Amino acid sequence: METNMENIIETLNGLLSSRQYAKIRSLLEDSNPADTAALIDELFGDDYEQEKNFLILFRLLPKDDAAEVFTYMEPEMQEHLISAFSDNELREFLSQSFIDDTVDIIEEMPANVVSRILANSTTGARKAINEILNYPKDSAGSIMTIEYINLHKDMMVKEAFETIRKVGINKETIYTCYVTENRRLIGVVTVKQLFMADEEAKIGDIMESNVITVDTTDDREDVARMFSKYDYLAIPVVDSGHRLVGIVTFDDAMDVITEENTEDFARMAAVAPSDESYFKTGVFKHMLNRIGWLCVLMISATITGILTEKYNAVFTALPILVSFMPMIMDTGGNCGSQSSVLVIRGLALGEIEFVDFFKVVFKEFRIGILVSSVLALVNGIRIYIMNGHDIRLSITLCISIIFTVILSKLIGAALPMLAKKCRLDPALMATPLISTIVDCCSLLIYFNVAMKIFNIA
Amino acid sequence: METNMENIIETLNGLLSSRQYAKIRSLLEDSNPADTAALIDELFGDDYEQEKNFLILFRLLPKDDAAEVFTYMEPEMQEHLISAFSDNELREFLSQSFIDDTVDIIEEMPANVVSRILANSTTGARKAINEILNYPKDSAGSIMTIEYINLHKDMMVKEAFETIRKVGINKETIYTCYVTENRRLIGVVTVKQLFMADEEAKIGDIMESNVITVDTTDDREDVARMFSKYDYLAIPVVDSGHRLVGIVTFDDAMDVITEENTEDFARMAAVAPSDESYFKTGVFKHMLNRIGWLCVLMISATITGILTEKYNAVFTALPILVSFMPMIMDTGGNCGSQSSVLVIRGLALGEIEFVDFFKVVFKEFRIGILVSSVLALVNGIRIYIMNGHDIRLSITLCISIIFTVILSKLIGAALPMLAKKCRLDPALMATPLISTIVDCCSLLIYFNVAMKIFNIA
């Protein structure tokens, strides 16, 4: 793949400089739009000096591919192309692209480019674009498209085929058709069903009338998850009056799932999520994405530290205790993050709901007892053997571990669900935050147990 | 949704006990297969006493739905149904389900059930099932299906439509058709293209002849990611001789992406991944999934502790140092996990390759410098003010933080890539492992810096 890419780029550069445009055209004809876009991005990178060249390249693309290739390009490249387009070019280009793709592009563009795009869209398209742009960022409405096939229940199958032939070319998907009656959705029929039905059959008789729909305001992640549940190609989006306003297609759903997962991974690592890929994000931006949480966590860790100051007496009397601090803190942190991450994932996949709160907490409690007993046993024996058979020391550690583990499992399970309840992203309650909270508790447990057992005042 | 479910279940229970089967049938007719499956699972849970009842319920399902409903059920339920089926029932049932679904079921079943399934499959099906079962667990071959539409390049479009009408009903997707010449894949054509083409046109002339394919042995996650790149409905799977052996459909790709993400989340939290959902996994199994890594990490944390013992002198002379241990350790751990998780995600999405090793490490190095300077500054000032203007103490902390942060960023970035290079799952190198490694380094840095600055021998 990589090397292959390198070769093509070399060839292209050669052909460009020697102006062998026919060769370039035929070379691009065979390439898949997604690959072509990657190619152009790779070819010019951030070197917009070459603007002339990539305009030429873009104009050499097969007409029907151009719009699709464009949607796959990096925003910077898109912006440069649009500003290089003549209004005519832009108009023709927009007429060939799907509304939802245009919306995606608009969302990445600066105001002046946006207004130019809108100015050059048809009145209908402009209206649709604005509507979609007005839906909340993470709603079903914001990822839907309005280009679906609309049938009437009194049509015959063969008429439906005619309609599909006539209007299909500009529709994002033709494989699921929607049956409406004065704009209200009354059924769906798939092209497969049409094929299997009699040519004379009425759409109303073969359509599936109990349709699974989503509201324009539904969360886009929930909508995306419905695709993996029902294996649909598209899901219709309806407004409060059950009027069909658009459809969400499986490819958008896939992108949503990937984006949402990436966001969760970032949040779980105390990084502010960003849409940019790792390399596209500059060093300074990376710093900004990470510094916020680090400061918060550093301060909370400082509080932990200040609390431990009170126990100077304990570890000056018994310095050996200090050497177990890392083990206690890490074990607590790890147990907490195990529980929190599993619960966060369960919430994301809809396997766990807030109603399960006590079920989950009780389960983690029992798991905590099992886990902690094993860890305490292993550790207790090791310490007894390796630290001069000091039974009091190993008892101190065993008790501390048991309390720490159980507590951290409970905290790790509870916080994400409470976050969800408070409409926060549960992913925020993952490893880093949990471990700082747990650290504090575990050290307090540890030192107090030690004080009791070694009766240090 | 939830409450809605409760009501239906109540109604169903009522209807079952009062034997109103007609009512049940009509109730099930309107329900989507995925929902029906969830319903049956919910209705009987683990209560297999009710076997008679759920057999009745299953037999009341619309014939064409039954097979699909079955594929959505929990393995336990599937096993019980199969053993309750008569051979005739099983045969008819298998004839209605897709090969890849049957394979998924088989993978969950005990040997005796498997042999019964194979015994009751047609010779062709059995052959196909065995082939698919023989592909490595995470390969494209293991998730493909053999039920695709096969066209010939000399066919006319209208003949193609005829073929689709004839064989379409048993095909997993009819919307992408594959053109082969003595079993070698020479092109694809979508139903949309067929609709837009002239009825008399030859398939060979309208088909897309440069096809994107995957090998049977390709990694299923890479294949799944191709779907989000190309927005395909299906990707053809070819063998070493470029012969078409099957197709992977988008719905299987979606499942793969979700499974792989869930696995990564688990590994990142030092939990052994399991296919079972959170609640389906028993307390004891949960313990087993978590205890392994906890022990490993506990031991490495113990080593950290033992290393710190050498510095007794330092913190008995200067107990205040102990109170900064949590802050140093947590900050290091958090910085490390930020880098590791971003790199792990980048590797999973193919944004980062091993060839970028030095590019990434250098980037993290620069980020580390920025981040650490900010943290050191904030912290240094705070400590200077809050700890009696002890300049040596704040300098100690500043230096320790700078070294700790940069080091942990480098480790966090490097380990996942090295893991990938060694064919290990990069996700294993996430937060917990990183933080234990970083803890050790950071404490050594911290105490040595302190010894130098306070010149304690």
Side-chain angles (χ1 to χ4, degrees), chain B residues 55-73:
Chain B
L55 251 180
I56 293 174
L57 205 60
F58 192 75
R59 289 181 175 133
L60 286 171
L61 290 174
K63 270 265 157 295
D64 2 342
D65 283 6
E68 194 179 351
V69 170
F70 189 88
T71 60
Y72 287 116
M73 289 182 172

Side-chain angles (χ1 to χ4, degrees), chain A residues 253-295:
Chain A
M254 266 193 177
D255 297 344
V256 168
I257 288 177
T258 304
E259 277 173 36
E260 294 284 344
N261 280 319
T262 307
E263 273 186 21
D264 284 354
F265 278 112
R267 290 218 179 83
M268 287 187 181
V271 178
S274 94
D275 303 340
E276 296 280 283
S277 74
Y278 178 84
F279 285 121
K280 289 272 164 196
T281 313
V283 170
F284 190 72
K285 183 81 174 60
H286 267 296
M287 185 274 277
L288 291 181
N289 290 343
R290 304 180 191 189
I291 198 72
W293 269 108
L294 286 177
C295 287

Side-chain angles (χ1 to χ4, degrees), chain B residues 157-430:
Chain B
V157 167
K158 58 180 175 203
E159 295 169 308
F161 279 128
E162 273 325 301
T163 319
I164 295 174
R165 280 211 176 74
K166 249 194 264 90
V167 302
I169 190 74
N170 324 317
K171 302 306 178 185
E172 173 127 15
T173 180
I174 64 165
Y175 301 133
T176 313
C177 307
Y178 299 88
V179 189
T180 55
E181 202 160 36
N182 29 36
R183 297 201 45 220
R184 300 186 75 262
L185 178 67
I186 60 170
V188 293
V189 59
T190 65
V191 165
K192 185 171 185 176
Q193 288 164 327
L194 292 175
F195 272 126
M196 300 313 149
D198 180 281
E199 288 227 311
E200 310 286 320
K202 283 248 179 307
I203 295 299
D205 303 331
I206 61 169
M207 72 186 188
E208 173 60 57
S209 54
N210 114 321
V211 189
I212 290 181
T213 62
V214 296
D215 293 345
T216 48
T217 54
D218 286 352
D219 183 89
R220 62 173 201 160
E221 184 170 13
D222 301 340
V223 176
R225 299 263 171 234
M226 288 176 70
F227 279 84
S228 16
K229 182 177 176 195
Y230 296 113
D231 300 345
Y232 286 155
L233 285 178
I235 295 182
V237 184
V238 296
D239 64 12
S240 47
H242 205 74
R243 283 179 295 272
L244 181 59
V245 290
I247 62 171
V248 175
T249 50
F250 77 96
D251 51 319
D252 298 317
M254 265 193 178
D255 297 343
V256 168
I257 288 177
T258 305
E259 277 173 35
E260 293 285 344
N261 281 318
T262 307
E263 273 185 21
D264 284 354
F265 278 112
R267 289 218 179 82
M268 287 186 180
V271 178
S274 92
D275 303 341
E276 295 281 281
S277 74
Y278 179 83
F279 285 121
K280 289 271 164 197
T281 313
V283 170
F284 190 73
K285 184 79 174 59
H286 266 297
M287 185 274 274
L288 292 180
N289 291 341
R290 304 181 190 189
I291 199 72
W293 269 108
L294 286 177
C295 287
V296 174
L297 296 169
M298 190 173 71
I299 291 161
S300 38
T302 307
I303 296 167
T304 310
I306 293 168
L307 287 173
T308 60
E309 279 182 41
K310 305 202 352 279
Y311 300 93
N312 278 358
V314 189
F315 55 76
T316 36
L318 214 64
I320 183 76
L321 290 178
V322 174
S323 67
F324 293 108
M325 281 171 63
M327 190 271 288
I328 293 278
M329 289 166 64
D330 287 344
T331 307
N334 293 332
C335 290
S337 58
Q338 285 181 330
S339 308
S340 64
V341 170
L342 289 180
V343 170
I344 290 165
R345 187 60 179 166
L347 288 166
L349 295 180
E351 290 169 358
I352 300 178
E353 310 268 339
F354 185 75
V355 293
D356 305 316
F357 186 87
F358 292 106
K359 210 164 139 207
V360 172
V361 169
F362 180 54
K363 187 159 195 161
E364 287 300 318
F365 176 69
R366 287 172 295 161
I367 299 170
I369 291 176
L370 285 180
V371 170
S372 59
S373 343
V374 176
L375 293 181
L377 196 69
V378 175
N379 222 349
I381 296 171
R382 186 196 66 77
I383 292 165
Y384 184 71
I385 296 170
M386 290 177 61
N387 293 75
H389 300 62
D390 181 340
I391 188 69
R392 290 195 300 175
L393 186 61
S394 43
I395 290 174
T396 310
L397 267 301
C398 290
I399 297 176
S400 311
I401 285 176
I402 290 175
F403 280 109
T404 304
V405 169
I406 294 176
L407 187 71
S408 48
K409 291 259 172 234
L410 294 181
I411 296 175
L415 285 189
M417 294 207 263
L418 294 173
K420 174 105 179 196
K421 187 67 177 173
C422 310
R423 307 189 166 290
L424 289 170
D425 185 332
L428 290 172
M429 297 299 159

Side-chain angles (χ1 to χ4, degrees), chain A residues 58-237:
Chain A
F58 192 74
R59 289 182 177 132
L60 286 171
L61 290 175
K63 270 266 157 295
D64 2 341
D65 283 7
E68 194 178 351
V69 170
F70 189 88
T71 59
Y72 286 117
M73 289 182 172
E74 295 290 341
E76 302 81 4
M77 195 61 86
Q78 293 174 328
E79 186 177 341
H80 267 73
L81 269 173
I82 293 178
S83 36
F85 282 156
S86 73
D87 280 1
N88 285 333
E89 277 180 307
L90 184 56
R91 246 195 308 283
E92 182 186 354
F93 164 75
L94 289 169
S95 69
Q96 284 166 345
S97 29
F98 293 120
I99 296 289
D100 61 337
D101 294 332
T102 314
V103 170
D104 293 346
I105 294 165
I106 284 181
E107 278 167 341
E108 300 290 332
M109 295 295 133
N112 60 326
V113 180
V114 172
S115 50
R116 239 194 106 209
I117 293 178
L118 289 175
N120 288 287
S121 310
T122 63
T123 336
R126 199 179 308 117
K127 191 166 157 303
I129 292 170
N130 283 322
E131 265 173 22
I132 296 176
L133 282 174
N134 284 334
Y135 290 111
K137 183 184 164 305
D138 284 342
S139 68
S142 68
I143 55 167
M144 72 183 183
T145 178
I146 55 159
E147 283 129 334
Y148 52 83
I149 298 217
N150 204 332
L151 300 178
H152 193 283
K153 74 179 194 317
D154 301 325
M155 277 181 170
M156 279 187 296
V157 168
K158 59 180 176 202
E159 295 170 307
F161 279 128
E162 274 324 302
T163 320
I164 294 173
R165 281 210 176 73
K166 249 194 263 94
V167 300
I169 189 73
N170 323 316
K171 302 306 181 186
E172 174 128 16
T173 180
I174 64 165
Y175 302 132
T176 314
C177 307
Y178 299 88
V179 189
T180 57
E181 202 161 37
N182 30 30
R183 296 200 46 222
R184 301 186 75 262
L185 178 66
I186 59 170
V188 294
V189 59
T190 66
V191 164
K192 187 170 184 177
Q193 289 164 326
L194 291 176
F195 272 126
M196 301 313 148
D198 180 284
E199 291 229 312
E200 310 287 319
K202 283 250 179 305
I203 295 299
D205 303 331
I206 63 168
M207 74 185 187
E208 173 60 57
S209 53
N210 129 305
V211 189
I212 290 181
T213 63
V214 297
D215 293 346
T216 49
T217 53
D218 285 352
D219 183 90
R220 62 173 200 161
E221 186 171 11
D222 301 340
V223 176
R225 299 266 169 230
M226 288 175 70
F227 279 84
S228 14
K229 180 176 176 195
Y230 295 113
D231 301 345
Y232 286 155
L233 286 178
I235 294 182
V237 183

